[in-house]
Structures are given as structure tokens and as C-alpha cells.
Amino acid sequence: MILGGGKGIPMPDYDVVVIGAGVGGLTAAALCQKAGMKTLVLEQSDRVGGCCSTFETPEGFKFDVGASVVEVTRAFEELFRRLELPREKYIPLIQVDPIYDYCDNTRGVRFAYPTSVEDTARVIAEFSPEDARAFLKFAEDYAPKIRELVDNFFYAPSLGFMDTLRLIARYPGMLTVLPMFVTTHQKVVARYFKHQDVLASMAFQSFYAGLPPDMCAGLYAVVGLLEHEGIFYPEGGMIRIPAGIQQAFHDLGGETRLGARVVRVMVENRRAVGVELWDGTEITARNVIGAINAKKLYMDMIGREHIPWHVWRGVTSLVLSMPCPMIYLGVDYEPPLRAHHTLTLTDPRAMNDYWSDYYLKGKLYEKEGRIEVMGLISWASKVDPSLAPPGKHVLTHMGLAPYNLAGNDWDRFKERYIDLAIETVERYIIPDLSEHVVYRDMATPKDLERMLLHPGGAVYGIQTDLSHMAVFRPANRSKCIRNLYLAGASTHPGGGVPAVVAGGIITGGLVVKDNA
Amino acid sequence: MRKRTKLLLALGAVAGVAAWLAVTTEPSDWRYPKLLLTQLPKMPFRYFV
């Protein structure tokens, strides 16, 4: 079958079919629809957003599935500027301040970083004047560079070396940032800071890349500075972001089908011609956008027979990012927290050891003979009280744990893991937490894989090190299947809500340009 | 651009990264270079994904 609508040739059902109603897929879909292309988004679950979503329990608690906050809101502004629609109407955002709290009750250490760089330096000065001065220097050295890098790198396609050269020609400052890709997070941070608690408070961002500080690209050390431009939470929960983009897409005439699971991308002569659903329905399209994990797209939905051997070898070599098990707790009081985010157990040495001595061996972190759960607590109902029944609150714990547990299984271990996480939080942050928990549940890495179809429960898609970045990350336009495009965390520029929106902008732009 | 040229460019980039790592890495920070070095042979293939 050849599509195109010529004499005797069947017209395709759609100009564009998008697999997956995550933030990246919806962004690309909205841009295609805006350009006048008849676009359909197919989502296997009953709600949009994937990891950036919110669900409600029968008890009236609303929990965010994964993503818990957004920074770099310029990505949203850019999207809605291109859609010529008001962002505030579709995605109302509330600023969150302070950015995050660092707490270790066992040592009586607690401090929170405000949005303002100067105020953050004042907080650090209370226990380390030397590091406070270093923080101001750190921000002065890197804040403008990282802002410029994001503004250029985020929205530029990275399909090949020519794109890299074009980017450098347009933005020569890129050359001064390149060493940040080669050096490590730990080296960058250690160059400025000496105090153990400052180092610990800045180490967590490395796990956004799915790697510990001594193995993570130095770029991630300065990404934290972007949070000082302001971090935001959408009214009504994180689902408001994909729901807002979906609403814009619908207002432009687009169509979404929920509960429509795609099992195969139809390929003829190395050209994507549509998709097949789980019930055998075939939907033809001029272009297909796979807004799902790139490994799953190529290996499960397209298959070896359509992919040249060298591309297949590249696909199979991609390393998935670290899974982030999510614990959802409803509590019957206002928890004694001070910020939207609170970090637990982020000592850089422990995080480095965790990777090699525990994570890679399928174990959970142990300290002084007991299992402790590293992670980050998000207190969304502080910002938006409508997420919990009156007098109650929602807490979400994002942890770090292996997909395969040595000698155990996540389905059997789930309840014990929740207990261990609560015990850890009680020890370091909220002493009486277990007495106030009235609702508890968890999404294990296996659950995330089943619910979201993320292989390995990898919510950040593909690991983000130099060997998986830019031209070495799955391209937004497929290099082996014509009319096939990719969006989402596993493609350029990477994981995290703003990056996925930026990737969707790149993908949507490529589809529109190629079909102009 | 021909596939052979692309492959040569990919290999050149990989060699460049390897040289850069060799020059800039201190012996105490061996884990990241080790990670990248184990990934280096795979990068030319990833370029085509």
C-alpha cells in the first residue's frame, strides 16, 4: 500500500498519528494540528500525561504519578507562542518557593534554598560563609551560560553532526560549555563547594540523569541553577500540563483516543504508513510520531525486519535510565515540612557507593546494617490544598531502586519497601509520619512498566550521559524509517518535563517542515 | 552525505571524545571515563538511531 491520495491510491486516515499522549506527544501533535495537519493522538491508558499525570483515589487524595514540579517554563511559553494561544489559560502555574529543603534530623541539620540566588547564599552563609561566597561565584559563572545553552540546545534538532555545527555557528558560546559534557557533576560541584551539607544538597540533581555524581555529566551540576529562575506547580496537579496541551490541541481541531493501545507501526518499504491497535484496527497516516520509549518503539512496534543491522545494534545498545519507584501517602495532618520538595540521604559518597555496591547488584542501600531509601519527598497539597480532603495532605516519595531486586520480587516486596521508606523519612525528616498515614500505595518499577509501558520502569527514558546525548540519542526524525518521528524523554534533548516539551517542539517542527 | 562519510565522521567524533578524556581526566575520577570508554564502541551505532 502506498499512501498519498493519487489516482487509485487510498487516502490515509490522518496526516499524523501520534502514539502516546505524554507531554512530548501532545506537544508535537498540537503543533502539527496548528499547521493544518489532521492529527490523531492514541493513548493506551485512560488518562493523558504518562509520568506527568495525576490520579485520584476513592478517599479523595490526588497524587502525581511521577513528575512533581516544573522549571524552565520558557519551554511552555515557547510552545504556546507557536500555537498562538495564551499559556496561562491552558496551564495555570503557581510558583513554589523555597525550591527545596535539605533535612537530616539525626544531625540536627536543616536548611531550605529560596528562589533568589542572594537569599540562598545567605542561607548557606549561616553555616559556611566560604561556600556562600562560592555559591554566588557559581551562579555568576554558570547561570547565564546554562540559560543560553538551554535556549539554544533545547529547541535545535540534533539529527547529525551538521546540526551540531549549525548550533555552534549560531551559538558559539556552546564551545565554552562543551567541557561540562565531559567532566562530572562531582568535579564541578567540588570545584566550588567544601561543606559536606552543601555538597549533599546539590548532589540529587545527578540522579535526574540516572547516574551518581561521580558518573554524571557535569552539565547536570549547573542545571540546578535553572531552578533559581523559579520552579512551578500547575493548579490541580501535574496532569494539568498534559491536559492543558491536550485542550489546546482539541481547540485547534485535534482528536485524542484514550484506551487505544498501539501494538505495531505499519511499515512498508522502510516508510511508516500507519499503526495497528491491539484489537486489530489499522489506522493509516502520512506520518507517525512515536512518543514512547525509543527502544520499545523500534524493538517491539517496528521490529528487526524493518531496521538495518547497524541501526538495530545502536537501538539494542541504548541503556535505560534508572527507575524511580513512587510512594503515595495520604496523611491526616499538616506535615512538618517547609518546602514543596525535601531531600533525604543525598550524601554524594553514599550516592556513589549506592550505584556500584547496591544498585548494579539489585540491592537497596544499607547504612549501619539497615536498609534506607534515598529520595525526595514532594508535598503537593502545600501548594494546592485541593489535592487532598480538608485537613489532610498528600505526600509523594520518589526513590531510587533497581528494576530487578536480587532474591526478591517487587510485587511481593512492595509493602515492605513502603515501610522502609516511611522508616527512613521518620529517621531523617518527619519523626511521627507513620502515625498519620491514612492512605498508602506505591508504583514499583514493574508497576511503572505495566502502567506507562516504560521498559524497565525508566521514567527518564534513556540514560543521560555523553554517549546517549545529542546526536547519540535517538533522533527526533527516524534515520531508518521514513515518515517516522520520535518524541518523549528517550529522544533529544532528554528527560524531564521541560526537556520533553522542547523535544516535542522539535519533533512537531520537523513534521511540519517535512510536509510543507 | 554518503553513509561512509557519516561513519567516518562518527568514528572521528568518538576518537575526539576519547582523546579529550585522556587529556582532561584525573586518575582519581576514573568511573565516568570508564563508563564512557565502555560506551565508546557503541556510539557510532547510536549515531544512526
Side-chain angles (χ1 to χ4, degrees), chain A residues 105-275:
Chain A
N105 283 343
T106 62
R107 296 186 299 117
V109 175
R110 181 162 209 170
F111 54 89
Y113 287 151
T115 302
S116 153
V117 167
E118 291 74 22
D119 289 347
T120 299
R122 274 184 214 110
V123 168
I124 298 172
E126 286 175 20
F127 56 91
S128 175
E130 185 190 358
D131 280 14
R133 285 189 295 276
F135 183 77
L136 290 172
K137 180 83 171 77
F138 181 58
E140 185 188 324
D141 288 351
Y142 287 116
K145 279 185 186 173
I146 191 71
R147 197 177 304 127
E148 208 180 359
L149 174 74
V150 166
D151 284 348
N152 287 281
F153 183 68
F154 256 36
Y155 307 105
S158 192
L159 303 172
F161 293 124
M162 287 309 291
D163 284 327
T164 310
L165 293 175
R166 271 187 217 109
L167 177 63
I168 291 170
R170 197 178 64 237
Y171 161 48
M174 174 89 185
L175 290 171
T176 66
V177 188
L178 279 180
M180 304 292 292
F181 287 83
V182 183
T183 189
T184 64
H185 180 291
Q186 182 159 291
K187 275 177 84 172
V188 173
V189 171
R191 212 178 288 154
Y192 287 84
F193 308 108
K194 302 287 174 270
H195 195 284
Q196 195 53 35
D197 290 321
V198 177
L199 292 170
S201 68
M202 298 200 175
F204 193 81
Q205 275 94 359
S206 74
F207 273 104
Y208 291 160
L211 289 163
D214 71 343
M215 293 173 77
C216 171
L219 187 65
Y220 279 81
V222 295
V223 162
L225 285 171
L226 290 171
E227 295 183 339
H228 288 277
E229 292 183 358
I231 62 169
F232 298 85
Y233 188 80
E235 274 178 32
M238 291 300 287
I239 197 172
R240 192 69 183 260
I241 292 172
I245 301 171
Q246 183 196 30
Q247 187 58 54
F249 170 55
H250 286 180
D251 288 352
L252 293 164
E255 180 188 348
T256 310
R257 284 189 212 165
L258 300 178
R261 182 170 177 176
V262 174
V263 292
R264 184 171 71 92
V265 175
M266 299 188 296
V267 177
E268 289 181 8
N269 302 320
R270 294 226 175 131
R271 179 190 293 273
V273 294
V275 297

Side-chain angles (χ1 to χ4, degrees), chain A residues 160-161 178-179 181-184 187 214-215 217 309-311 313-315 317 352 356 466-468 471-472 474-475 479, chain B residues 1 3 6 9-10 13-14 17 20-21 24-26 29 31-33 35-36 39-40 42-49:
Chain A
F161 293 124
L178 279 180
F181 287 83
V182 183
T183 189
T184 64
K187 275 177 84 172
D214 71 343
M215 293 173 77
W309 73 270
H310 62 290
V311 181
R313 199 159 163 190
V315 170
S317 80
N352 292 337
S356 51
L466 183 64
S467 74
H468 291 88
V471 293
F472 302 113
K479 295 176 183 174
Chain B
M1 201 184 293
K3 194 175 278 182
K6 283 182 184 175
L9 275 171
V14 167
V17 171
W20 193 347
L21 283 174
T24 59
T25 305
E26 293 162 26
D29 302 312
R31 291 214 306 178
Y32 187 55
L35 168 80
L36 293 182
Q39 298 296 315
L40 275 177
K42 300 165 186 171
M43 288 166 72
F45 297 102
R46 283 181 196 152
Y47 180 82
F48 293 98
V49 178

